[in-house]
Amino acid sequence: MNENDIYGVWLQQAVGEGSRKVPQLLMYFGSCKGVYEADEQELRLSGILGERELFRFLDTRLEVAEEIIDACRRLDYSILTPDSENYPERLRNIPDYPAALYICGELPDIDNEVCISMVGTRRASRYGYTTATAIAKDLAAAGAVVISGCARGIDSAAHQGTLLSGGKTIAVLGCGINTRYNMDNEGLRKVISASGALVSEYPPGAPALSFHFPIRNRIISALSLGVIVVEAGEKSGSLITANIALEQGKDIFSVPGAINTYQAKGTNRLIFDGATPIESAADVLCEYVGKFPGKLNLANLKDPDSRAFEKHVRPKWDRDAIAARYGITPEQLPNPAQKNGEQKQTADSGGKQPSDKQQRPDKRKMPYSADESVPPVGMSEEAQRVWRALNDVPKHFRELSDELGMDSDRLSRCLTELELYSAVRALPGNKYSKG
């Protein structure tokens, strides 16, 4: 953070998120600080603000921004404002760019990366979920950055697929980053923040209100070169994102679906209206190889064995914080890389295993266990149900669905989450066993 961030935060609070007044005010007064220092007469003479807007503007105190910045410091969030040197030009090119962005994690160099957004219905079918996951995995394997909104359904598949290839992903939220919303994805958000970034124009603690999400959609599309829509109903919010992206001059890609399914109504209509139909990540990335030399490696997409390098990402938890939560010392935490409760040999122990008399942590209380008797921290409750139903004997997808009473799209989402935690093995014949 720098000393001028406070003026960008103040400006955002003064005009509201999604306002088109931000670019106009900055063009007139030169900077966020310049806007703050303008008096009432100068603001009126600018002709930018209406009477109600001016009243709100003058009524917003700088102390409000100070409180937000203090909260960001406590939460270890960074702040980007238009006065920042690394504020993305792609974002600055839209007519309603935000005066402040709050970031948890590390935002990539947006302007020099092949960033592709992926959006779609929250009620994804199994076809949609697996297709979105596969495309996202290949996008990341080739070197693209995948952007989505971290909602259920297609958004989750986009983030998870990217993480499965060890790629970078950005989640743009419609609420404060720390707001307890869609807790099924709490673990996913933590993994994203460790290997990418959570981004929001809403300050810490801001609620997830319904009108926030259409507003945030403009940021999803603005940060990207193109938007992929995977499954969307006729009135889906994903179509709002596609329309905004079209207005911003972005490329629109759509995954075709069966004409008799509700989830394909919107995507098929996009194709009818001129969107580029795609079957794979290669259909998207071929548009950008020449424009971004050295950024993409499409050779990874031609070789079916190229996914051997995929990284299964387990969250990088703070061992001290975990130990404190379970009332033990960090040294007593098990090593998840070692199986069957084996202890790492050290010079102090001379390579010997600790005796039964030595104090050992109770594995039943561990956040994760060396013999995998307990699921990893952050896994959703639904994924934990699936994880407990698995064992070393492979089970067919349909058998799991019947046993757990889960429909196919919910089960697909949970299995992808388990794959993210390296907690499941996908076997031939659509069978799964504990990883």
Side-chain angles (χ1 to χ4, degrees), residues 76-236:
D76 197 26
Y77 296 166
S78 56
I79 299 174
L80 266 184
T81 73
D83 294 341
S84 306
E85 291 183 0
N86 53 342
Y87 192 87
E89 285 300 319
R90 288 183 194 168
L91 200 55
R92 206 186 295 273
N93 287 335
I94 65 175
D96 46 6
Y97 60 77
L101 277 181
Y102 307 97
I103 301 165
C104 178
E106 185 175 349
L107 195 68
D109 183 7
I110 296 294
D111 296 325
N112 294 306
E113 295 288 348
V114 178
C115 298
I116 304 296
S117 296
M118 184 179 292
V119 296
T121 180
R122 285 175 168 83
R123 291 179 286 184
S125 68
R126 188 183 177 200
Y127 160 78
Y129 202 91
T130 54
T131 300
T133 302
I135 292 176
K137 286 169 74 174
D138 282 347
L139 288 171
V145 176
V146 178
I147 303 173
S148 197
C150 209
R152 294 183 179 91
I154 298 302
D155 284 14
S156 295
H159 294 303
Q160 290 174 335
T162 305
L163 293 169
L164 286 170
S165 279
K168 293 181 180 180
T169 185
I170 300 170
V172 184
L173 308 179
C175 57
I177 294 173
N178 65 331
T179 300
R180 293 181 63 81
Y181 168 74
N182 187 15
M183 297 311 290
D184 287 348
N185 274 350
E186 181 183 18
L188 178 60
R189 289 198 295 268
K190 290 180 178 179
V191 181
I192 292 171
S193 66
S195 56
L198 302 174
V199 176
S200 179
E201 65 181 316
Y202 297 97
L209 303 178
S210 58
F211 66 87
H212 285 181
F213 296 93
I215 293 174
R216 71 86 195 260
N217 289 346
R218 80 193 194 287
I219 297 178
I220 292 178
S221 57
L223 294 174
S224 63
L225 298 169
V227 176
I228 302 173
V229 184
V230 184
E231 289 197 330
E234 288 181 293
K235 298 182 180 180
S236 171

Side-chain angles (χ1 to χ4, degrees), residues 166-415:
K168 293 181 180 180
T169 185
I170 300 170
V172 184
L173 308 179
C175 57
I177 294 173
N178 65 331
T179 300
R180 293 181 63 81
Y181 168 74
N182 187 15
M183 297 311 290
D184 287 348
N185 274 350
E186 181 183 18
L188 178 60
R189 289 198 295 268
K190 290 180 178 179
V191 181
I192 292 171
S193 66
S195 56
L198 302 174
V199 176
S200 179
E201 65 181 316
Y202 297 97
L209 303 178
S210 58
F211 66 87
H212 285 181
F213 296 93
I215 293 174
R216 71 86 195 260
N217 289 346
R218 80 193 194 287
I219 297 178
I220 292 178
S221 57
L223 294 174
S224 63
L225 298 169
V227 176
I228 302 173
V229 184
V230 184
E231 289 197 330
E234 288 181 293
K235 298 182 180 180
S236 171
S238 303
L239 300 184
I240 297 176
T241 307
N243 288 331
I244 293 172
L246 194 61
E247 292 175 1
Q248 294 174 351
K250 308 295 182 178
D251 299 322
I252 310 297
F253 305 94
S254 185
V255 176
I259 60 174
N260 60 342
T261 60
Y262 169 79
Q263 290 96 332
K265 294 291 185 183
T267 48
N268 289 345
R269 170 55 59 178
L270 283 175
I271 294 171
F272 183 81
D273 291 339
T276 302
I278 64 166
E279 294 180 346
S280 66
D283 295 335
V284 176
L285 297 178
C286 64
E287 300 282 341
Y288 308 110
V289 174
K291 300 175 184 177
F292 291 84
K295 286 292 183 180
L296 297 174
N297 185 3
L298 297 192
N300 289 337
L301 307 181
K302 297 176 182 177
D303 181 3
D305 298 325
S306 65
R307 293 182 181 173
F309 69 90
E310 287 180 6
K311 304 173 185 177
H312 295 279
V313 183
R314 188 180 293 271
K316 301 175 183 177
W317 304 108
D318 184 335
R319 292 179 67 83
D320 291 334
I322 294 174
R325 181 185 301 175
Y326 290 90
I328 58 177
T329 64
E331 290 73 22
Q332 289 176 304
L333 283 171
N335 184 346
Q338 298 189 6
K339 303 291 183 180
N340 302 321
E342 295 177 358
Q343 300 294 320
K344 186 177 180 181
Q345 297 180 355
T346 65
D348 293 337
S349 65
K352 297 180 180 179
Q353 298 293 329
S355 66
D356 292 336
K357 295 181 180 180
Q358 289 179 283
Q359 183 182 4
R360 295 181 179 180
D362 185 352
K363 290 182 179 179
R364 292 171 298 177
K365 298 179 180 180
M366 290 293 99
Y368 53 77
S369 174
D371 63 358
E372 299 180 349
S373 60
V374 198
V377 173
M379 185 181 291
S380 69
E381 292 184 6
E382 277 199 335
Q384 289 184 40
R385 282 186 60 210
V386 177
W387 184 83
R388 292 189 178 97
L390 293 167
N391 50 46
D392 293 335
V393 179
K395 290 187 178 182
H396 193 275
F397 183 93
R398 192 178 300 108
E399 180 184 355
L400 279 170
S401 178
D402 293 341
E403 179 181 340
L404 297 168
M406 282 188 181
D407 55 36
S408 60
D409 59 312
R410 286 169 59 203
L411 181 55
S412 294
R413 183 179 71 239
C414 291
L415 287 170

Side-chain angles (χ1 to χ4, degrees), residues 45-57:
L45 288 173
S46 72
I48 297 172
L49 300 174
E51 199 62 34
R52 289 186 179 181
E53 293 171 322
L54 183 62
F55 177 79
R56 172 177 174 171
F57 209 81

